[in-house]
Amino acid sequence: MGNLTDQNQYIGAIEAGGTKFVCAIAASSNPSEILKQASFPTRDPSSTLNDVIGFFQQNVSQNGSLSALGIGSFGPLGVSSSLPNYGNILATPKKGWQGTDLISWFTKAFPGLKIAIDTDVNAAALAEGMHGAAKDLHSYVYITIGTGIGGGVVINNQIIKGHLHPEMGHLSIHQEKSDSFTGVCPFHKNCIEGLASGEAIHQRWGARAETLPPAHPAWDLQATYIASLCQTLTAVLSPQRIILGGGVMQQSHLLPMIQQKFLMKAGGYWQLPTDYIVTPALGNQAGIIGAIQLATNTL
Amino acid sequence: MGNLTDQNQYIGAIEAGGTKFVCAIAASSNPSEILKQASFPTRDPSSTLNDVIGFFQQNVSQNGSLSALGIGSFGPLGVSSSLPNYGNILATPKKGWQGTDLISWFTKAFPGLKIAIDTDVNAAALAEGMHGAAKDLHSYVYITIGTGIGGGVVINNQIIKGHLHPEMGHLSIHQEKSDSFTGVCPFHKNCIEGLASGEAIHQRWGARAETLPPAHPAWDLQATYIASLCQTLTAVLSPQRIILGGGVMQQSHLLPMIQQKFLMKAGGYWQLPTDYIVTPALGNQAGIIGAIQLATNTL
């Protein structure tokens, strides 16, 4: 990492996750110019946000100031700057966080600071387009398959939003007849997050995904469900590429299984390039790099 | 309709369908300024396209010229102007039409004419946003449920494209356990077009949709499948509105059934406005009005 005294104006970024908050100070949106990075466990909003604010105050104030702050946060989240719930965490099951107005916290700590906020997965999607697996593409989808499942759509460098933001985890999919698992989603039981998230794997098989060997039947079922998701995304959006990230995708035997199932399901209908379904290029740095990009876009 | 001698420059538009080609000459993109409209049965490409070209030659050449031509066509269709298959009809089951280069036909007949082309459903989607049920919205989906099923997505007045264009008919959905119908899609059997298109209704029940009374079990099943489609669109795109058009939706008892099923399926998760799922405002004029808009956008 570089030297924080290189300049007087820095870009601040936060990847606000359910487990930890990653914070970074950068000289530019170039991923090689992240000058300082730290993470703090996610506790209650007040403790966590004071940790984060302290990080920026200690590291920036002596050497300069922040020109902008980008936040990629867990959701659901108010993402329309024209609505009163902008920057608020909405109906999250994460205890204590519903209704937290993230923007207000940072506006109070850093008056006048330009702040941009979006979901963590939208931030990661943006980063993969700027610097990663979707560079030079005008239409792609980024999916994270971890404890939960989420997705972001980027068209012409713009993150897609509408009434709210996509919540792909709650996509309804066809449950295999051989699969009698109830599903872990409290809202829909057997949506894709309910059937194919890391938490679903854990509860269905009684073991965490990373402990299951490649020949375990969990992976065939997992590949079937994720291939269904890819088929749905193809029919609805016809993207140029689908990027599958998140902890569950770190099992390297999974991607080729998904690619093969997708081709079978597609029934020869779609003529797609061989690198249509890929894993991310930025790994677990995508979220924070995306948050830096959100900040940079305000300047 | 107005008078073709009102001016010297006209906008030409074609809605190229599998059953008929609708042609229009307009003074502007305002739907009230369509000056002349005619339709021709879809036969082989050469006969049909010569009918269409003849219509424009006869009606325009004496009084002025075309400033632009917009085409909304059945697909699949090459829609990226940067690709060599732009304006070509791709792998259609419509006999004789695969590989037809629509743009070349009109460029030869009208040298130098500005031509814009997109799918018929994308054209209709655009029209509903400019003049119909999605006026002033920045994110919506238009679905047609007729002989087949198709859909278009519009974000910030732009039709979404990627590798190709959305082909929502080929969306895989959960088939009800009580439904043993094989499905009519030659590629995927039980995708949504295979299970819930007008053709699927016809083959499943042995009668055309418009002859089935509101209490017929066909409608409950139909509402279930279309509500699933709406749930999928909501999870993937979070649009501000979903517009359901096409011949099957002309049965007025169907929309409230879909709205109710959607609310049940959503499990209280999404907080959406009461006018979230609606029928089109432009009826069967949406396609041709959209084609006029495509042409206008080139000027």
Side-chain angles (χ1 to χ4, degrees):
Chain A
M1 294 194 185
N3 186 335
L4 212 57
T5 59
D6 283 344
Q7 63 184 105
N8 292 316
Q9 287 273 301
Y10 303 102
I11 294 160
I14 302 164
E15 184 188 9
T19 308
K20 61 180 177 181
F21 273 52
V22 180
C23 303
I25 298 166
S28 77
S29 66
N30 187 325
S32 69
E33 295 201 291
I34 295 176
L35 304 175
K36 203 160 182 73
Q37 188 165 324
S39 73
F40 305 95
T42 307
R43 301 182 284 156
D44 63 280
S46 174
S47 310
T48 314
L49 294 168
N50 279 318
D51 283 350
V52 170
I53 289 166
F55 166 82
F56 289 111
Q57 283 174 335
Q58 284 160 30
N59 285 288
V60 175
S61 300
Q62 294 160 5
N63 306 299
S65 64
L66 291 175
S67 57
L69 176 68
I71 307 171
S73 173
F74 67 90
L77 181 77
V79 291
S80 288
S81 55
S82 61
L83 294 182
N85 70 4
Y86 180 56
N88 283 220
I89 292 178
L90 308 178
T92 176
K94 184 90 188 156
K95 206 180 155 192
W97 283 85
Q98 184 172 335
T100 301
D101 182 348
L102 291 172
I103 291 184
S104 281
W105 272 88
F106 292 98
T107 304
K108 277 178 199 154
F110 304 100
L113 182 62
K114 285 179 186 162
I115 301 176
I117 191 165
D118 214 313
T119 65
D120 44 4
V121 67
N122 275 345
L126 197 62
E128 287 291 336
M130 298 301 289
H131 309 287
K135 225 172 154 175
D136 304 324
L137 299 185
H138 63 81
S139 160
Y140 63 93
V141 183
Y142 174 91
I143 302 284
T144 177
I145 305 158
T147 311
I149 292 182
V153 182
V154 178
I155 309 273
N156 298 331
N157 298 318
Q158 297 293 313
I159 296 164
I160 290 265
K161 289 167 199 173
H163 180 74
L164 191 64
H165 48 73
E167 293 192 78
M168 298 197 196
H170 296 294
L171 195 70
S172 170
I173 56 164
H174 173 73
Q175 185 163 5
E176 292 294 293
K177 282 180 187 147
S178 60
D179 179 21
S180 59
F181 183 59
T182 314
V184 299
C185 173
F187 298 102
H188 316 105
K189 299 282 185 199
N190 58 356
C191 59
I192 188 149
E193 180 165 300
L195 291 178
S197 60
E199 184 60 24
I201 294 173
H202 191 172
Q203 288 198 24
R204 182 191 277 110
W205 305 102
R208 295 181 59 83
E210 61 270 29
T211 68
L212 299 171
H216 192 283
W219 298 113
D220 188 79
L221 190 61
Q222 188 67 13
T224 299
Y225 289 143
I226 304 301
S228 276
L229 169 62
C230 293
Q231 196 184 3
T232 293
L233 296 172
T234 305
V236 173
L237 289 165
S238 185
Q240 292 172 295
R241 190 164 292 160
I242 297 172
I243 305 168
L244 300 176
V248 172
M249 289 307 302
Q250 287 175 20
Q251 309 307 308
S252 60
H253 54 275
L254 184 53
L255 180 67
M257 294 172 77
I258 292 168
Q259 290 168 327
Q260 194 185 7
K261 297 257 184 195
F262 175 81
L263 287 176
M264 279 168 55
K265 280 176 182 285
Y269 188 73
W270 285 295
Q271 303 299 313
L272 296 163
T274 51
D275 59 352
Y276 179 61
I277 302 174
V278 302
T279 46
L282 302 175
N284 59 15
Q285 280 290 93
I288 194 70
I289 293 171
I292 294 169
Q293 190 64 49
L294 287 173
T296 311
N297 288 352
T298 69
L299 298 176
Chain B
M1 294 195 183
N3 186 336
L4 213 58
T5 58
D6 284 343
Q7 63 184 107
N8 293 316
Q9 287 273 300
Y10 303 102
I11 295 160
I14 302 164
E15 183 188 9
T19 308
K20 61 182 178 179
F21 274 51
V22 179
C23 303
I25 298 166
S28 78
S29 66
N30 187 326
S32 69
E33 296 201 291
I34 295 176
L35 304 174
K36 205 162 180 70
Q37 187 166 323
S39 72
F40 305 96
T42 307
R43 302 181 285 156
D44 63 280
S46 174
S47 310
T48 313
L49 294 168
N50 278 319
D51 283 349
V52 170
I53 289 165
F55 166 82
F56 288 110
Q57 284 174 334
Q58 287 161 29
N59 286 288
V60 176
S61 301
Q62 296 161 5
N63 307 301
S65 64
L66 290 176
S67 56
L69 177 68
I71 307 171
S73 173
F74 68 91
L77 181 77
V79 291
S80 287
S81 55
S82 61
L83 293 181
N85 69 6
Y86 180 58
N88 282 219
I89 292 177
L90 308 177
T92 177
K94 184 90 190 156
K95 205 180 155 191
W97 283 86
Q98 184 172 336
T100 302
D101 181 348
L102 291 172
I103 291 185
S104 281
W105 273 87
F106 292 97
T107 304
K108 277 178 198 153
F110 304 99
L113 181 62
K114 285 179 187 162
I115 301 176
I117 190 164
D118 213 312
T119 65
D120 44 3
V121 66
N122 274 344
L126 197 63
E128 287 291 336
M130 298 300 288
H131 308 286
K135 223 172 157 178
D136 304 323
L137 299 184
H138 63 82
S139 161
Y140 63 92
V141 183
Y142 175 90
I143 303 283
T144 177
I145 305 159
T147 310
I149 292 182
V153 182
V154 178
I155 309 273
N156 297 332
N157 298 318
Q158 297 292 312
I159 296 164
I160 289 266
K161 290 167 198 175
H163 181 74
L164 192 63
H165 49 73
E167 293 192 77
M168 297 198 196
H170 296 295
L171 195 69
S172 170
I173 56 164
H174 172 73
Q175 186 162 5
E176 292 294 293
K177 283 179 186 147
S178 60
D179 179 22
S180 58
F181 184 59
T182 314
V184 300
C185 174
F187 297 101
H188 316 103
K189 298 284 185 197
N190 57 357
C191 59
I192 189 147
E193 179 165 301
L195 292 179
S197 61
E199 184 60 23
I201 295 173
H202 192 172
Q203 288 198 25
R204 181 191 276 110
W205 305 102
R208 295 182 58 83
E210 62 269 29
T211 67
L212 299 172
H216 193 282
W219 298 113
D220 188 79
L221 190 61
Q222 188 67 14
T224 299
Y225 289 142
I226 304 302
S228 277
L229 170 62
C230 293
Q231 195 185 3
T232 292
L233 296 172
T234 304
V236 173
L237 289 165
S238 185
Q240 293 173 294
R241 190 164 292 161
I242 297 173
I243 305 168
L244 301 176
V248 173
M249 289 307 301
Q250 286 176 20
Q251 309 307 308
S252 60
H253 55 277
L254 184 53
L255 179 67
M257 293 172 77
I258 293 168
Q259 290 168 327
Q260 193 186 7
K261 297 256 184 197
F262 175 79
L263 287 177
M264 280 169 54
K265 280 177 182 284
Y269 187 73
W270 284 294
Q271 303 299 314
L272 295 162
T274 51
D275 59 351
Y276 179 61
I277 302 174
V278 302
T279 46
L282 302 174
N284 59 16
Q285 279 291 92
I288 194 71
I289 293 171
I292 294 169
Q293 190 65 47
L294 287 172
T296 311
N297 289 351
T298 69
L299 299 177

